[in-house]
Amino acid sequence: MKDVCEVRELTDNDNHESIKEQVFPNAINGKGKILDYLRSFPAKCVLASTVIDEITGEDTGQDLQLYEDNDWTWDDSVIYHFEHYNMRLSEEFLDYVLSK
């Protein structure tokens, strides 16, 4: 499985850029379709944690659930930051979803 994003705060990989370099003021074309896709899968598991807004540091109170399709994996933190901050997602993932 591949992660849909490479953001240090969400992957715990120090080789990835910080989320602050991965958010943008303008939405990408197809954002609605991407969000619909990310939300269309049932959760594989629910963690004993909530989504933290990595920009403000605030706890959103939203449960943190994990999702996957046949190739990709993501969680509610990815959905939240993509929706609220236009966080960059993998170009390969975007191409995959937008080509459907």
Side-chain angles (χ1 to χ4, degrees):
M1 293 283 179
K2 299 178 269 190
D3 290 324
V4 301
C5 73
E6 294 184 346
V7 173
R8 181 182 315 138
E9 292 83 354
L10 303 182
T11 63
D12 292 327
N13 183 331
D14 289 337
N15 294 322
H16 293 159
E17 287 186 331
S18 171
I19 194 168
K20 293 180 178 166
E21 285 100 35
Q22 297 285 324
V23 296
F24 300 93
N26 299 316
I28 64 165
N29 290 332
K31 181 177 179 177
K33 184 174 182 176
I34 300 292
L35 283 170
D36 288 346
Y37 185 83
L38 292 170
R39 292 177 175 146
S40 70
F41 292 86
K44 291 292 180 182
C45 69
V46 179
L47 301 175
S49 184
T50 54
V51 174
I52 302 297
D53 185 313
E54 296 293 339
I55 303 299
T56 67
E58 294 180 21
D59 186 331
T60 67
Q62 178 182 346
D63 289 339
L64 184 60
Q65 302 179 82
L66 301 176
Y67 307 91
E68 62 183 38
D69 64 9
N70 292 328
D71 299 308
W72 300 93
T73 184
W74 64 94
D75 64 27
D76 286 306
S77 288
V78 170
I79 298 171
Y80 176 88
H81 290 92
F82 178 68
E83 179 178 21
H84 290 89
Y85 298 109
N86 302 309
M87 181 182 71
R88 180 178 295 147
L89 301 179
S90 159
E91 288 296 322
E92 184 182 355
F93 174 74
L94 295 176
D95 291 344
Y96 171 76
V97 174
L98 294 175
S99 70
K100 291 183 169 275

